[in-house]
Amino acid sequence: MDADAIEEGRRRWQARYDASRTREADFTTLSGDPVEPVYGPRPGDRYDGFCV
């Protein structure tokens, strides 16, 4: 998987996420740290040596 494919997947996910309804809930860990809806490479991160 190359960087363009990863970025395109992130864009598709973001569009679907933005169009969906979200629950009114407190998404945190047991210690109170906020939990993001998804984790992964940030836009613009380099993918050199990335293996699947």
Side-chain angles (χ1 to χ4, degrees):
M1 182 175 284
D2 66 4
D4 291 335
I6 293 171
E7 182 60 23
E8 178 57 29
R10 187 197 66 76
R11 280 194 291 267
R12 283 193 322 263
W13 177 86
Q14 189 66 57
R16 283 186 228 141
Y17 180 78
D18 291 343
S20 68
R21 296 182 314 166
T22 55
R23 294 186 295 162
E24 292 295 324
D26 184 23
F27 294 101
T28 59
T29 64
L30 290 174
S31 59
D33 294 327
V35 177
E36 297 299 322
V38 71
Y39 289 88
R42 292 176 301 263
D45 278 358
R46 293 179 50 104
Y47 303 100
D48 296 339
F50 180 79
C51 297
V52 176

